[in-house]
Amino acid sequence: MTLIHENVNRGRSQTGWLDSFHTFSFGGFRDPARMGIGALRVINEDRIIPGSGFAEHGHEDMDILTLVLSGKLRHRDTIGNETVIAPGKAQLMSAGTGIRHSEMNASDTEPAHFLQIWLIPETYGGAPTYQQAALSPEEEARDWSLLASGRDGEAPLRLLSDSRVLIAFPQAGMTTRLPIGEGRKTFVHIVEGLATIGGERISSGDGLQVGESRLPDIDWITDGKALLFDMK
């Protein structure tokens, strides 16, 4: 069985500077059917107006993965990191015993559009860490490419749970197979594009909560981008 988390049923938070869609329950949005899956707790799709952003705030005991889709983010944190993240890059903070950071739009003229993803670590505590990595070039990652993993040395970014995050950049007309592991939990987030799975149409912002060992493939109508979360 595949449960489609339709984009139109996501939560939404809007302020003067932020427009945020929530795949899972977050902030004032609560849905018993959308409480996360496995280690995956948050997928927020955020848009920030020029010259604004998330002022310094704190986190503990959470892996926080950020992917910029357009525009640029300026990251600062209390363990000495200051950098600008643009499309084609990903950052991962493991908050550990505590870290404070800010994520501000690095432009005074262009909006910033990005995903922020939270995964729950298997052990709490430890020193906070920061990592940054380049995504695989799109032409080399039409099928799934490993971005983050809980296994040492397996992926550019190191998670603190038995999880893997993969990314794909399929082209129109391509078919993407879902690599389902026995006894694993799988969630797919459609970042961009239009496709079908099992005769159902899916599009940007939709999620696929996978509950079978064998599934229909994703057939792409347009060029697309997707994330796959493989978890214990």
Side-chain angles (χ1 to χ4, degrees):
M1 174 182 167
T2 303
L3 174 63
I4 298 178
H5 290 251
E6 295 180 335
N7 54 23
V8 294
N9 293 325
R10 290 184 294 177
R12 190 174 189 180
S13 300
Q14 291 178 288
T15 67
W17 58 273
L18 171 68
D19 189 6
S20 180
F21 288 93
H22 316 305
T23 294
F24 301 113
S25 295
F26 186 87
F29 170 60
R30 288 290 181 269
D31 182 341
R34 291 175 176 252
M35 296 304 296
I37 174 174
L40 181 59
R41 182 60 189 85
V42 168
I43 301 178
N44 286 348
E45 181 181 358
D46 295 340
R47 289 176 173 84
I48 293 176
I49 66 171
S52 191
F54 295 97
E56 185 178 298
H57 60 285
H59 296 281
E60 295 179 2
D61 293 319
M62 193 65 69
D63 280 349
I64 302 172
L65 175 66
T66 302
L67 283 83
V68 176
L69 305 177
S70 63
K72 296 180 180 180
L73 283 180
R74 177 173 288 105
H75 168 91
R76 292 189 177 96
D77 63 45
T78 50
I79 58 173
N81 298 292
E82 182 173 345
T83 188
V84 172
I85 308 297
K89 303 284 187 181
Q91 70 173 26
L92 176 64
M93 286 193 312
S94 294
T97 54
I99 188 171
R100 295 184 64 80
H101 73 119
S102 63
E103 304 292 338
M104 306 295 292
N105 189 333
S107 172
D108 290 328
T109 58
E110 300 294 329
H113 179 201
F114 61 99
L115 295 177
Q116 190 170 96
I117 297 156
W118 297 8
L119 295 106
I120 302 169
E122 291 180 352
T123 57
Y124 294 158
T129 62
Y130 178 87
Q131 304 167 64
Q132 184 174 317
L135 304 181
S136 298
E138 293 189 13
E139 62 273 12
E140 297 176 12
R142 300 302 179 193
D143 204 354
W144 301 112
S145 172
L146 195 55
L147 175 59
S149 170
R151 297 179 184 177
D152 259 336
E154 186 178 57
L157 300 172
R158 175 73 157 86
L159 297 167
L160 297 181
S161 63
D162 184 2
S163 306
R164 299 190 309 156
V165 181
L166 300 93
I167 191 166
F169 303 92
Q171 292 180 303
M174 290 185 65
T175 295
T176 300
R177 180 163 295 176
L178 300 182
I180 309 302
E182 188 68 31
R184 306 284 290 180
K185 297 179 177 68
T186 304
F187 191 88
V188 177
H189 180 75
I190 307 300
V191 182
E192 297 175 2
L194 181 65
T196 63
I197 182 169
E200 297 286 339
R201 184 166 287 205
I202 52 177
S203 60
S204 304
D206 284 342
L208 307 175
Q209 187 167 322
V210 177
E212 296 178 355
S213 57
R214 299 187 67 180
L215 290 166
D217 298 330
I218 300 176
D219 295 312
W220 291 91
I221 299 170
T222 68
D223 292 353
K225 183 185 300 183
L227 291 169
L228 184 146
F229 302 87
D230 166 54
M231 300 160 287
K232 183 177 178 181

